[in-house]
Amino acid sequence: MLENSVTMVLIILIINIVYVSFFTIRMILTLKGQRYLAAFISMIEVVIYVIGLGLVLDNLDQIQNLVAYAIGYGIGVIVGMKIEEKLALGYITVNVITKEYDRDLPNSLRTKGYGVTTWAAQGLEGDRMSLQILTPRKYELKLYQTIKELDPKAFIIAYEPKAIYGGFWVKSVKKGKLFNE
């Protein structure tokens, strides 16, 4: 089976897509502090890597195998990133500065399940409200859409917090009490 060059190229391509997807997910899990899951995935990852690299090294005279390895690597990065987007691990913190001071905006967001902290702010053109919103990453795009509907001219900055401690909202999320749709 491995004597057929087309079959060999496809096997190398698939192996490398799977390997790099595992690599990407493992790196993201490591960054998110999921060390045991990352370690488990790395064990599978290294077996796939050794098999794929072995196939290429055993057939270095076949340039198409090296090309398949490189293409598989690139596609694997994209596939791994897409998988991570679907998993949407962790939380996102979104800072919003409203166009005008709007007392109803925070309550509108809270009723939708978002954790919102507000304070008065001053901008170049007058009073503003600054909001800090914490949400699971899987609701990030929905949050942006909601903010744009409530205040189309809001200024939005988002980042991933490294650690979150305390507060009623975090406890509610861990118990699965928010966003029950």
Side-chain angles (χ1 to χ4, degrees), residues 34-132:
Q34 301 282 331
R35 67 179 64 133
Y36 298 111
L37 186 54
F40 177 74
I41 287 176
S42 71
M43 291 186 308
I44 298 167
E45 173 195 336
V46 76
V47 170
I48 296 168
Y49 171 74
V50 169
I51 292 169
L53 188 59
L55 289 174
V56 173
L57 292 177
D58 287 345
N59 299 286
L60 273 178
D61 58 330
Q62 307 277 328
I63 190 69
Q64 68 269 17
N65 294 341
L66 186 57
V67 171
Y69 189 86
I71 291 170
Y73 200 97
I75 294 171
V77 170
I78 293 167
V79 170
M81 291 172 68
K82 290 292 184 186
I83 291 170
E84 194 282 330
E85 283 175 16
K86 295 292 183 198
L87 292 175
L89 302 170
Y91 299 93
I92 191 86
T93 299
V94 179
N95 288 338
V96 178
I97 301 173
T98 62
K99 178 68 177 157
E100 297 173 1
Y101 196 91
D102 181 357
R103 292 183 191 276
D104 296 329
L105 182 62
N107 290 331
S108 297
L109 292 168
R110 287 182 186 119
T111 59
K112 295 180 183 299
Y114 298 104
V116 183
T117 301
T118 66
W119 57 92
Q122 297 292 316
L124 179 65
E125 298 173 356
D127 291 341
R128 305 279 190 264
M129 180 180 290
S130 186
L131 296 85
Q132 187 170 54

Side-chain angles (χ1 to χ4, degrees), residues 158-170:
Y159 57 91
E160 287 188 57
K162 175 131 175 89
I164 302 170
Y165 301 102
F168 80 94
W169 192 86
V170 173

Side-chain angles (χ1 to χ4, degrees), residues 8-50:
M8 176 69 88
V9 164
L10 287 174
I11 289 170
I12 291 170
L13 184 73
I14 291 167
I15 284 174
N16 226 25
I17 290 170
V18 172
Y19 156 66
V20 177
S21 297
F22 271 80
F23 174 83
T24 304
I25 293 166
R26 177 188 46 90
M27 289 301 298
I28 291 165
L29 289 170
T30 301
L31 293 171
K32 302 270 184 197
Q34 301 282 331
R35 67 179 64 133
Y36 298 111
L37 186 54
F40 177 74
I41 287 176
S42 71
M43 291 186 308
I44 298 167
E45 173 195 336
V46 76
V47 170
I48 296 168
Y49 171 74
V50 169

